[in-house]
Amino acid sequence: MIERELRETVARLHGELTRYGLVAWTAGNVSARVPGRDLMIIKPSGVDYDDLSADNMVLCDLDGVPVEGDLSPSSDTAAHAYVYRAMPEVGGVVHTHSTYATAWAARGESIPCWLTAQADEFGGEIPVGPFALIGGDDIGKGIVSTLTGHRSPAVLMRNHGVFTIGRTARAAVKAAVMCEDVARTAHLARALGQPVPMAQADIDALYDRYQNVYGQRPAPATTT
């Protein structure tokens, strides 16, 4: 039952990538860890977004090997699998080539924290990871080495694109959406002149508020 729900969730979340203009053609992917099992669900390779469904999501082990079905998984499966093996707290991974964030990756440049929205979601800069070829787990190693101990759930892999992580696949998709949003604004701000830096204490305060106060809190338990 959990696996079926995750298949539906992962298929649906790919629609968010197209909704927010983060992907072109068949590029990009979303995956989710299957709770309590050494398994993950990921998009099939080269299948049009309009044709994605719960039934054609690919179930793989955490070495990236398909365990059922006839479709080949995403070419980024080994990278996703490495992240899940190395970071047990991660429940979802997303990859996009979204335009503005990938432009920063092409420059091999991190995105400085010039915006309160970036402080909220990323807790500081969005870092750049190393160049790595597609197909093996070198990309995964670069993601893990860059994001371990870092507040940011997003990394700009040099000359490639964006990878994001989250406690859930939905959280990772949100991070991908927000990464492109701040990348676009930061690019435009710098085109107009030198952006005004933010004090680290203010970044810390904004991050703490957003992560621990913002939004709806669960209602306290009542006793009868």
Side-chain angles (χ1 to χ4, degrees), residues 33-130:
R33 183 197 295 271
V34 179
R37 304 181 68 189
D38 290 334
L39 298 171
M40 57 180 275
I41 294 168
I42 194 166
K43 169 182 175 284
S45 178
V47 174
D48 289 346
Y49 276 80
D50 288 345
D51 296 329
L52 295 180
S53 68
D55 291 334
N56 61 23
M57 295 296 104
V58 184
L59 183 68
C60 299
D61 65 22
L62 294 192
D63 290 316
V65 178
V67 299
E68 65 180 37
D70 299 324
L71 296 178
S72 299
S74 165
S75 58
D76 292 303
T77 297
H80 289 239
Y82 186 91
V83 172
Y84 290 127
R85 294 198 306 272
M87 306 178 84
E89 72 278 12
V90 171
V93 179
V94 171
H95 172 48
T96 79
H97 301 153
S98 60
T99 303
Y100 284 87
T102 300
W104 288 84
R107 293 195 296 258
E109 186 176 355
S110 62
I111 304 175
C113 190
W114 293 322
L115 303 164
T116 60
Q118 185 173 339
D120 288 345
E121 182 73 25
F122 301 96
E125 71 167 11
I126 299 174
V128 169

